[in-house]
Amino acid sequence: MNKNIAVLVTHDFEEAEYHMPVEAFRAASHSVRNIEKTAGNIVYSKQRKSSVSIDHGIEDICIHDFDALMIPGGQSPFLLKEDLRFIDFLRQFANAQKPIFLCCASPGLLIDAQLAIGRRLTSVETLLHELKTAGAVIFDRDVVNDNNLYVSSRSTLELPVFIDECLNVLRVS
């Protein structure tokens, strides 16, 4: 069954962490919608080698329009957390028990959304202490699947494993 996947993304996203999963989701016949502050915006990767066109502004969407949420890493998650509308969207998604796919640095958003408590996660090394302090159960693994609700990855090197796990979750959710 085809799923609708929301992607929260803004400037300075990690190029591979956006493009590789999105291409895999689309190849598996899932729909991907990019969400940022305003529909029609163009956001650029931190390497400035690629751009992404925004399909929907955060004010124009509802969690019920989507089956899963993906947040690529890079600096994008740190910029998104400055706008509480993205934190609120993430909270609503988690409260609805819908899958959330978190690449590398994006689990840091769970801290701001107060969603890390008791969650099994991995992330980039620089965030592990903060996540643990926020109540997360940290695993030193490439990818961690927390009951098909959160799938987190440690680095860009693990993207193939991360993508496979996300696709497995989409199959069963």
Side-chain angles (χ1 to χ4, degrees), residues 149-163:
L149 293 177
Y150 296 112
V151 176
S152 55
S153 69
R154 185 170 49 190
S155 81
T156 304
L157 299 173
E158 285 92 18
L159 279 173
V161 179
F162 173 75
I163 291 166

Side-chain angles (χ1 to χ4, degrees), residues 71 81 84-95 100 102 106-117 131 134 150:
I71 307 172
K81 76 178 185 176
L84 293 179
R85 297 175 297 174
F86 295 102
I87 298 297
D88 186 52
F89 185 78
L90 177 59
R91 276 191 197 117
Q92 290 177 39
F93 226 89
N95 290 337
I100 300 172
L102 302 155
S106 60
L109 283 171
L110 298 177
I111 297 168
D112 295 278
Q114 298 177 345
L115 295 170
I117 298 169
L131 284 165
Y150 296 112

Side-chain angles (χ1 to χ4, degrees), residues 106-136:
S106 60
L109 283 171
L110 298 177
I111 297 168
D112 295 278
Q114 298 177 345
L115 295 170
I117 298 169
R119 302 320 300 177
R120 296 180 299 187
L121 300 167
T122 192
S123 184
V124 293
E125 191 171 330
T126 55
L127 283 177
L128 293 178
H129 179 72
E130 285 181 68
L131 284 165
K132 190 172 183 176
T133 301

